[in-house]
Amino acid sequence: MFTDRRIERHQLPYFLKVFNSVTDKPIGFLGNLSEDGLMLISQLPIMVGADFNLRLKIPMDGHCQQVIDLNACCLWCHEDATPHHYDAGFSLQRAPPEYEQLVEALKQYFSFQSLPASA
């Protein structure tokens, strides 16, 4: 049986928590993201059609973190494959430049672009 991998896997060391930016309480974890929205994985269902103030805390070098506040509307919510968890899709309203930089950085990190050959 063939078991050698041809593509390196990238494991994230942890899940990125998403917070309520008003209360700074965690409301779930980032499932995925795009330029226009994100998916949240939560232990409680999210109200569809409601606007939310979300906060991402991006770890930086040392013990610093970058805070990105987002205004988003929940477009859909359904039960996740994992019991007692829910997936919710959000549309972002006026995402800040820091969010766009995060999306681009993650695209670069998880892309399968070939690396330049070393001399």
Side-chain angles (χ1 to χ4, degrees):
M1 181 184 213
F2 184 70
T3 58
D4 290 337
R5 297 195 187 281
R6 301 223 182 262
I7 298 173
E8 180 182 354
R9 287 189 178 187
H10 297 279
Q11 291 288 85
L12 294 177
Y14 52 87
F15 292 102
L16 185 62
K17 284 185 184 177
V18 179
F19 297 83
N20 177 319
S21 66
V22 176
T23 64
D24 207 37
K25 301 269 188 208
I27 60 171
F29 297 93
L30 189 65
N32 62 45
L33 51 74
S34 70
E35 291 86 357
D36 301 320
L38 60 86
M39 186 182 79
L40 176 76
I41 302 169
S42 177
Q43 292 183 334
L44 296 172
I46 303 294
M47 185 183 303
V48 175
D51 291 333
F52 290 85
N53 297 314
L54 305 176
R55 174 171 287 159
L56 303 175
K57 296 179 181 179
I58 312 301
M60 306 297 279
D61 292 334
H63 295 288
C64 300
Q65 61 185 5
Q66 179 183 19
V67 173
I68 302 174
D69 287 332
L70 305 166
N71 296 318
C73 178
C74 182
L75 300 177
W76 55 266
C77 183
H78 57 75
E79 223 172 330
D80 187 84
T82 304
H84 310 294
H85 286 81
Y86 297 86
D87 298 338
F90 288 85
S91 173
L92 299 180
Q93 304 156 358
R94 300 176 305 280
E98 297 84 9
Y99 179 80
E100 294 169 13
Q101 292 167 358
L102 172 64
V103 171
E104 190 56 37
L106 289 173
K107 276 186 189 177
Q108 292 295 320
Y109 182 78
F110 287 107
S111 68
F112 295 109
Q113 299 173 4
S114 59
L115 297 173
S118 59

